[in-house]
Amino acid sequence: MADTSAKNGHGAEKGSSHDRARIWGGIDLGGTKIEAVVVDARGEVLGRARHVTPVSGGPGQVVKELYGTLGEAAQTAGTEPSKLAGVGVGAPGSVDANSGTLARTGNVAGGWDAPYPIASDLGDLVGGRVVMGNDVQVAVAAEYKLGAGRNYRSILGVWWGTGVGGGLVLNGVPWRGQGSAGEIGHMVVKPGGARCGCGRRGCLEAYAGRASMERKAHAAVKKGRKTILFDIMRDKGRTRLSSGVWARALKEKDPLATELIDRAVAMLGMTIASVINLLDVEAVIFGGGLGSRLGAPFVDRIADAMHPHLFITERKPAMHVAELGDLSGAIGAALLAGPQM
């Protein structure tokens, strides 16, 4: 590799300081956005970029957008994808880390059911190694190592966004079970209840996931309910009810938005309390679009909603908002690719 010694506007050097031995890429594939970072061996973010998740074109188009977002992040870091030591991808759905495939991506627009070789296809574009992990599991691992979970040995991560994901670190070890541990969004809170995006009924995600709440809002409007949710969406130039749309509607005390978020908070409290009763972790970390955007006031509300369902009420877990914010998933994916701290 030639040493160009050129610097970008961030003071990052190309060449010997940014070679395959020292920097990694991480990509967080979300239902509405793709976030990419380039990090060094300490987990410090050298460059970042965000693109909108494609709403059509299937997995092939998603892979192209993953590469485009990574390329932009690499450019801001003064490098390029081919010079990265490795790339990690955190994705929702059924991830097979061994084969590098992703299936059942219900919360990604234009989602697909059959396993698709994302790692292989993206690796061909990058010209290097690509590894995959569950999006929330890698985000929780990043918070455990670098963020709000670093002072605890056992944590539960709850990522409240398009869906509701979860991740666990137990006694210092990320707990993945047989690969899908932590799927708190698919714990049943109401047998025979609302239809979830996974196809089953009564899951937490069917009541608290942003996509499910958006479907509920559309149905309510068709029945004559009034709401400013979709007006705000259009004002913001969005095609979906993003976390920012929900936050503004709540600030303006929109009745439908308030009703749906109140229901989500109640269901989150009930479910998280059940996990605490089972595992007795020290802390709960909240991330995801809604978790990060609504922040500490809503974490406090969820803690209140948990209280009636806790078995040991005098020993409550600590409750925190993810410190790495929107970047926790992308940073965690990059850590998955190689840097160890």
Side-chain angles (χ1 to χ4, degrees):
M1 183 185 302
D3 182 1
T4 63
S5 299
K7 291 186 178 181
N8 65 7
H10 299 275
E13 293 185 1
K14 294 181 181 179
S16 61
S17 66
H18 279 184
D19 57 30
R20 280 189 180 272
R22 300 186 61 179
I23 56 173
W24 293 262
I27 309 174
D28 180 21
L29 171 60
T32 58
K33 63 179 175 63
I34 296 169
E35 195 93 44
V37 297
V38 172
V39 306
D40 63 14
R42 300 182 305 275
E44 180 182 346
V45 176
L46 307 175
R48 61 179 292 189
R50 175 187 289 188
H51 287 188
V52 175
T53 305
V55 297
S56 61
Q61 188 60 40
V62 169
V63 170
K64 289 179 182 177
E65 203 63 37
L66 292 173
Y67 180 67
T69 314
L70 178 65
E72 186 177 325
Q75 185 178 27
T76 65
T79 187
E80 57 193 52
S82 63
K83 294 181 180 178
L84 300 173
V87 175
V89 179
S94 178
V95 175
D96 186 326
N98 292 325
S99 64
T101 60
L102 177 64
R104 296 195 291 278
T105 58
N107 287 327
V108 177
W112 58 92
D113 292 326
Y116 188 87
I118 282 188
S120 174
D121 282 13
L122 182 59
D124 288 343
L125 294 174
V126 170
R129 184 176 67 97
V130 174
V131 296
M132 294 189 65
N134 174 269
D135 57 342
V136 179
Q137 288 177 353
V138 300
V140 173
E143 285 292 332
Y144 178 74
K145 290 183 178 181
L146 301 170
R150 63 185 178 276
N151 294 323
Y152 305 99
R153 291 291 291 165
S154 296
I155 64 171
L156 165 68
V158 179
W159 257 237
W160 183 21
T162 304
V164 182
L168 290 162
V169 177
L170 301 178
N171 199 27
V173 179
W175 180 253
R176 300 185 177 92
Q178 297 181 73
S180 60
E183 287 288 359
I184 191 172
H186 299 291
M187 291 178 64
V188 175
V189 295
K190 187 175 182 180
R195 178 77 68 178
C196 181
C198 72
R200 290 176 284 273
R201 288 189 176 274
C203 298
L204 169 63
E205 190 171 291
Y207 297 93
R210 196 173 57 210
S212 294
M213 291 193 294
E214 181 170 336
R215 288 191 291 270
K216 184 69 174 177
H218 275 296
V221 169
K222 286 182 179 179
K223 293 179 180 178
R225 289 288 300 273
K226 301 296 183 183
T227 181
I228 61 173
L229 277 166
F230 298 103
D231 296 326
I232 296 171
M233 179 187 78
R234 287 185 285 271
D235 288 347
K236 285 179 167 287
R238 301 283 192 264
T239 58
R240 305 278 298 273
L241 296 183
S242 65
S243 298
V245 170
W246 284 98
R248 184 170 150 192
L250 291 172
K251 185 177 181 180
E252 298 187 23
K253 302 187 187 313
D254 178 74
L256 181 60
T258 300
E259 175 186 311
L260 291 172
I261 291 291
D262 285 352
R263 184 176 72 160
V265 166
M267 292 300 196
L268 283 162
M270 180 193 312
T271 311
I272 295 168
S274 295
V275 175
I276 299 304
N277 292 341
L278 178 67
L279 297 177
D280 197 20
V281 296
E282 298 169 83
V284 182
I285 314 298
F286 289 87
L290 280 168
S292 296
R293 178 60 68 98
L294 300 183
F298 278 81
V299 170
D300 291 342
R301 286 186 55 189
I302 293 168
D304 290 341
M306 289 167 57
H307 185 79
H309 308 288
L310 288 171
F311 180 62
I312 306 294
T313 56
E314 63 269 26
R315 189 177 68 241
K316 299 177 182 178
M319 307 279 280
H320 299 285
V321 178
E323 288 183 6
L324 302 177
D326 286 348
L327 293 184
S328 57
I331 292 172
L335 298 181
L336 185 69
Q340 301 294 321
M341 285 151 294

